[in-house]
Amino acid sequence: LAKTTQPISMDSYEGQEVNITCSHNNIATNDYITWYQQFPSQGPRFIIQGYKTKVTNEVASLFIPADRKSSTLSLPRVSLSDTAVYYCLVGALADNNDMRFGAGTRLTVKP
Amino acid sequence: DGGITQSPKYLFRKEGQNVTLSCEQNLNHDAMYWYRQDPGQGLRLIYYSQIVNDFQKGDIAEGYSVSREKKESFPLTVTSAQKNPTAFYLCASSPAANYGYTFGSGTRLTVV
């Protein structure tokens, strides 16, 4: 079970790029990296998933170095509405043992 | 639209009573999950089910029970054995574990 470590909180300003890093030193060969976003009193929302190198969608980019022991979620030009908690999950697809969420990173975007 | 529905949104329970939280999905997902979230904390896994008529305990299953009689439904019962049930409960589904979870909007349970 790959354990993840993220910063507890981060602050940013509107229009800036935000990078949130997740450490997963004991990631296994079959593990994927998935990020979720959660607003207060709502369920988390899937943002992006990747295995290696770089993945980009309309919301964010995910950078994964060659050793895969960490990953970075990049949010371009954040706005106030990006204030939320961001969770990094690591686990193998269809693996019943890897469905644990950590404490996440609380991102606060300021005007 | 496909999605996952939790009801009710708010629920109040007297001490010593059992209460059942509903979770329904029309995404045709095989896997369903229940998580508990306390204020300012992350999500903790209560139970999960990969197929109908089968479910497994998560990290904090004591005081909770579930059933999975239909693919679409995964109700959670909070029993009187759960000593501190006041929390935000989230249900999720996915095609299979780690393929990307779709969460419901949650049920906030308060014991009065």
Side-chain angles (χ1 to χ4, degrees):
Chain A
L1 182 63
K3 181 178 178 180
T4 61
T5 303
Q6 302 174 235
I8 293 174
S9 64
M10 294 180 65
D11 289 341
S12 182
Y13 291 92
E14 282 190 291
Q16 290 187 334
E17 178 184 75
V18 171
N19 295 311
I20 306 174
T21 297
C22 179
S23 297
H24 27 81
N25 291 321
N26 58 341
I27 189 169
T29 302
N30 295 332
D31 286 346
Y32 279 71
I33 300 154
T34 313
W35 285 82
Y36 291 84
Q37 174 192 56
Q38 186 183 25
F39 297 113
S41 299
Q42 295 185 26
R45 179 175 72 100
F46 172 90
I47 301 176
I48 197 166
Q49 184 177 67
Y51 183 80
K52 63 179 180 180
T53 62
K54 177 183 175 181
V55 180
T56 298
N57 61 23
E58 65 278 6
V59 177
S61 294
L62 178 59
F63 298 93
I64 306 168
D67 66 5
R68 302 198 331 120
K69 293 184 182 298
S70 66
S71 58
T72 299
L73 175 72
S74 181
L75 304 172
R77 300 183 60 81
V78 294
S79 64
L80 297 177
S81 62
D82 292 314
T83 294
V85 178
Y86 292 83
Y87 296 96
C88 165
L89 270 72
V90 173
L93 299 184
D95 187 325
N96 295 337
N97 295 319
D98 294 335
M99 295 161 289
R100 272 67 174 179
F101 285 73
T105 297
R106 186 173 300 276
L107 172 66
T108 302
V109 180
K110 302 175 181 179
Chain B
D1 290 337
I4 183 165
T5 302
Q6 290 187 242
S7 62
K9 190 172 180 65
Y10 298 95
L11 189 57
F12 296 89
R13 190 196 88 175
K14 293 182 179 180
E15 285 192 27
Q17 287 183 338
N18 293 353
V19 64
T20 298
L21 282 60
S22 170
C23 179
E24 303 277 337
Q25 55 100 356
N26 60 2
L27 299 165
N28 200 33
H29 285 171
D30 286 320
M32 297 188 74
Y33 316 84
W34 275 105
Y35 290 90
R36 168 181 171 143
Q37 187 171 38
D38 293 287
Q41 304 298 312
L43 284 69
R44 291 187 290 170
L45 182 65
I46 305 174
Y47 268 99
Y48 63 95
S49 169
Q50 299 297 314
I51 57 173
V52 174
N53 292 322
D54 185 58
F55 48 83
Q56 305 297 327
K57 293 181 179 180
D59 298 325
I60 55 166
E62 185 176 353
Y64 299 98
S65 66
V66 294
S67 63
R68 187 83 186 277
E69 298 176 359
K70 299 186 300 182
K71 187 175 184 178
E72 301 80 15
S73 179
F74 192 41
L76 173 74
T77 297
V78 184
T79 74
S80 57
Q82 170 52 235
K83 298 305 179 187
N84 185 23
T86 295
F88 188 49
Y89 290 87
L90 286 159
C91 180
S93 70
S94 67
N98 294 316
Y99 271 90
Y101 305 115
T102 300
F103 280 84
S105 56
T107 293
R108 190 167 299 279
L109 173 64
T110 303
V111 174
V112 297

